[in-house]
Amino acid sequence: MNNNHSTTRREFIVQAGAGTAAAVVAGTFVRRAVAAPAAASAYLTSQDTSTDPLFVSATRMAQMIREKQISAVDAVKACYARIDRVNPTINAVVAFCRERALAEAKLADEALAAGKVLGPLHGVPFTIKDSFDTEGVVSTGGTLGRKNFIPGKDATVVARVRKAGGILLGKTNTPEFTLGGGARGTYNLVYGQTYNPYKANYNPSGSSGGAGAIVAAGGSYFDIGSDYGGSIRGPAFANGIAGIKPTLGRSPRTGHIVGYGGAFDTFQETGPLARRVEDLYLLLGIIGGPDAADGAMAPVPLGDPAKVDLKKLRIAYYLTDGFNSVNDPTPQIQDLIKQSAGYFSALGAKVTEDRPPHMKELAAARKEFSSADGGDHMRRLLKKHGTTQASPGLNEGTGVELPSADFTRLCEEMDALKSEQLAWLEQYDLIICPAAKESAQPVPPEFKREPGADGGGYTSEYNTTGWPGGVVRVGTSPEGLPLGVQIVGQPWHDDVVIAALSYIEGKTGGWQKPPI
């Protein structure tokens, strides 16, 4: 694609090819094309102004530990104390590994005393969405059949974070198979309902709702989520933090309860949630790259956001999806989108009100495509994990399957529509658009499916295309709840998305401490 801010198409291909060649060593495919950055603050301007160590960014905490301003043991203890304080109210962290975490923290401190740094996350405490396998720690995926399941191996992204020096505190709540919360957001029959830290009995969104809630509340420095239709960006929006769904192919799904492969493979991505945008860059550099298992991954280097010339960006923004007035964002959210677009216009960037073509048609095609097997994929998941009682919000389908000819037709329709949207994106580097139509809402008593959850909506559009998309907080609703905007970029230009998120964060302040 034509990008004024970075390399030419030919340069990009040459660089990517060089990365692939470098990844093959003695016949073994190495997981990374580039090394993880030592610290994101070397590449982005930090917006972290926190004075309490409990609420600093993961990047700053890593620096504080390396500089021996705080020990890893004390950081872990502080996080557990905070979790113990807030968790009875929000029910975000649902499984713990306290003894192991403290033992690992002690080893991290001993290593540092001996002059050894374990990695860019040396000693930094974190949590992980319960849909990822964690070695030695119960991993339910929110389904009753795995209530006592303890994996013998970490999911790829978990293993990479731990290898980089991160210390796992525990698991965060998710709806069953990340898909069964319905309008209640993050709920399952194993651990119950998770709530928003900014307002009692309000929704944290889903499916990474536990992750979003505990990171916002200061109980964890970051989490890794998964995103099938908005499950990173929705909780980032609802809980006022930063999150990114990377380009499809950047971050492996190996060890996730809904993994890679199959007809719906291309909708799912994994990515980080944190209080500050600088951490998204640090974490993507750690978790990204092929793992010799997830065949959709590509060894494409992660660009440096600091090299993005914001003044030269070509930006499209839109306020509504243009086809479903029920989903029109509130006037306040629309104003915040225009305000965010104005930040770049003031820099000299070219800003145009525009949106991808045929969003309605693509949403409809994905919805029909996703139900083409009559829900058999969901019933097979239940059977695979030995679950006989599904969560009330889980859509098990109708049992009515489309003929194979119709399924093939839908595949062709979706590919044609995605191709047309990709051609449209040639004229823009970024899109600024809604992440949700309104702030977090009260948790409803019923488990009805949310409108557009199968294909429409402001976030799932970009699961269907596979383009990178991130969310940052930009304002506050009259009820005191966070409001954010979504930034979407061209494929593989996650760095441009992060650069834009960071710039907006600098203008608005980003994350704010919840009252809990």
Side-chain angles (χ1 to χ4, degrees):
M1 291 183 178
N2 177 24
N3 293 287
N4 295 327
H5 57 269
S6 57
T7 60
T8 66
R9 181 193 295 270
R10 184 178 183 279
E11 288 170 339
F12 174 79
I13 292 172
V14 169
Q15 290 172 8
T20 303
V24 181
V25 181
T28 301
F29 195 59
V30 181
R31 74 166 184 89
R32 305 190 47 74
V34 290
S41 58
Y43 304 88
L44 293 176
T45 300
S46 177
Q47 308 300 338
D48 186 2
T49 59
S50 302
T51 56
D52 185 338
L54 195 61
F55 297 104
V56 300
S57 68
T59 301
R60 277 187 62 198
M61 176 49 57
Q63 181 180 3
M64 291 172 68
I65 291 173
R66 288 194 301 270
E67 295 177 353
K68 299 181 182 179
Q69 298 176 43
I70 185 173
S71 70
V73 168
D74 284 344
V76 168
K77 287 181 177 179
C79 283
Y80 276 134
R82 179 65 176 167
I83 292 171
D84 289 342
R85 177 180 174 183
V86 302
N87 213 46
T89 302
I90 61 176
N91 189 36
V93 185
V94 292
F96 298 87
C97 45
R98 294 177 190 259
E99 290 184 7
R100 189 181 82 176
L102 286 166
E104 289 182 355
K106 185 173 183 293
L107 290 174
D109 288 336
E110 291 173 351
L112 193 61
K116 182 179 181 181
V117 176
L118 302 179
L121 294 172
H122 184 111
V124 179
F126 72 100
T127 49
I128 283 289
K129 184 178 180 179
D130 193 34
S131 54
F132 290 100
D133 284 350
T134 45
E135 178 185 4
V137 184
V138 65
S139 303
T140 75
T143 192
L144 285 171
R146 285 176 41 136
K147 185 176 182 179
N148 299 308
F149 174 66
I150 299 177
K153 183 180 180 180
D154 283 328
T156 295
V157 295
V158 179
R160 290 176 176 178
V161 168
R162 293 184 68 195
K163 186 176 180 180
I167 297 176
L168 179 64
L169 299 170
K171 308 297 288 293
T172 50
N173 206 21
T174 179
E176 186 167 22
F177 302 130
T178 74
L179 301 167
R184 298 193 71 170
T186 297
Y187 171 91
N188 61 62
L189 293 176
V190 183
Y191 296 120
Q193 179 73 48
T194 297
Y195 296 97
N196 194 299
Y198 289 89
K199 196 170 180 67
N201 299 316
Y202 270 62
N203 203 322
S205 189
S207 62
S208 308
I214 199 60
V215 169
S220 172
Y221 289 97
F222 66 90
D223 204 302
I224 307 296
S226 59
D227 194 313
Y228 189 80
S231 292
I232 290 172
R233 291 158 294 158
F237 175 93
N239 297 283
I241 59 174
I244 188 169
K245 177 199 76 66
T247 302
L248 174 66
R250 186 173 294 284
S251 180
R253 287 113 10 131
T254 310
H256 188 262
I257 197 166
V258 183
Y260 54 83
F264 311 123
D265 172 87
T266 59
F267 300 147
Q268 181 94 275
E269 288 106 33
T270 61
L273 299 104
R275 286 186 290 274
R276 295 296 175 185
V277 173
E278 62 180 337
D279 294 337
L280 303 184
Y281 178 53
L282 172 65
L283 294 165
L284 271 189
I286 291 168
I287 68 175
D291 67 348
D294 186 340
M297 299 299 105
V300 179
L302 177 62
D304 182 349
K307 295 181 180 180
V308 175
D309 189 344
L310 297 175
K311 298 187 297 296
K312 293 183 179 180
L313 294 180
R314 303 158 301 157
I315 298 173
Y317 75 94
Y318 61 90
L319 308 179
T320 73
D321 60 19
F323 66 86
N324 189 353
S325 60
V326 174
N327 283 334
D328 283 358
T330 63
Q332 185 183 9
I333 290 177
Q334 294 189 39
D335 286 343
L336 289 170
I337 293 167
K338 287 186 284 188
Q339 174 181 302
S340 298
Y343 296 145
F344 297 96
S345 181
L347 281 175
K350 182 180 178 182
V351 178
T352 306
E353 187 170 5
D354 198 2
R355 58 174 168 250
H358 301 302
M359 291 174 64
K360 179 181 180 180
E361 291 79 3
L362 186 59
R366 174 176 169 180
K367 184 173 184 179
E368 190 176 2
F369 175 85
S370 295
S371 60
D373 70 349
D376 183 66
H377 66 291
M378 190 58 65
R379 295 190 294 275
R380 282 188 284 110
L381 266 178
L382 291 165
K383 183 177 180 180
K384 175 182 178 180
H385 297 290
T387 299
T388 57
Q389 181 183 1
S391 295
L394 194 70
N395 185 359
E396 298 182 59
T398 62
V400 179
E401 300 177 12
L402 285 180
S404 59
D406 286 340
F407 184 78
T408 302
R409 170 184 56 79
L410 286 167
C411 291
E412 294 170 355
E413 286 182 7
M414 286 192 5
D415 284 347
L417 289 165
K418 287 191 287 184
S419 181
E420 185 175 354
Q421 290 194 353
L422 192 60
W424 171 88
L425 191 60
E426 284 277 352
Q427 63 190 312
Y428 299 114
D429 302 301
L430 285 178
I431 305 168
I432 302 176
C433 61
K437 68 175 184 177
E438 59 191 353
S439 65
Q441 297 295 298
V443 174
E446 71 278 6
F447 290 90
K448 66 181 180 180
R449 298 281 293 172
E450 294 181 278
D454 292 316
Y458 295 103
T459 53
S460 55
E461 160 78 15
Y462 302 110
N463 292 88
T464 310
T465 63
W467 304 346
V471 167
V472 66
R473 180 172 180 164
V474 295
T476 305
S477 76
E479 299 80 17
L481 289 152
L483 297 172
V485 295
Q486 179 175 209
I487 305 294
V488 178
Q490 294 182 347
W492 302 113
H493 288 280
D494 308 61
D495 56 320
V496 184
V497 173
I498 293 171
L501 292 171
S502 180
Y503 186 69
I504 293 173
E505 182 184 50
K507 292 291 187 178
T508 65
W511 170 83
Q512 298 178 21
K513 183 179 176 182
I516 190 172

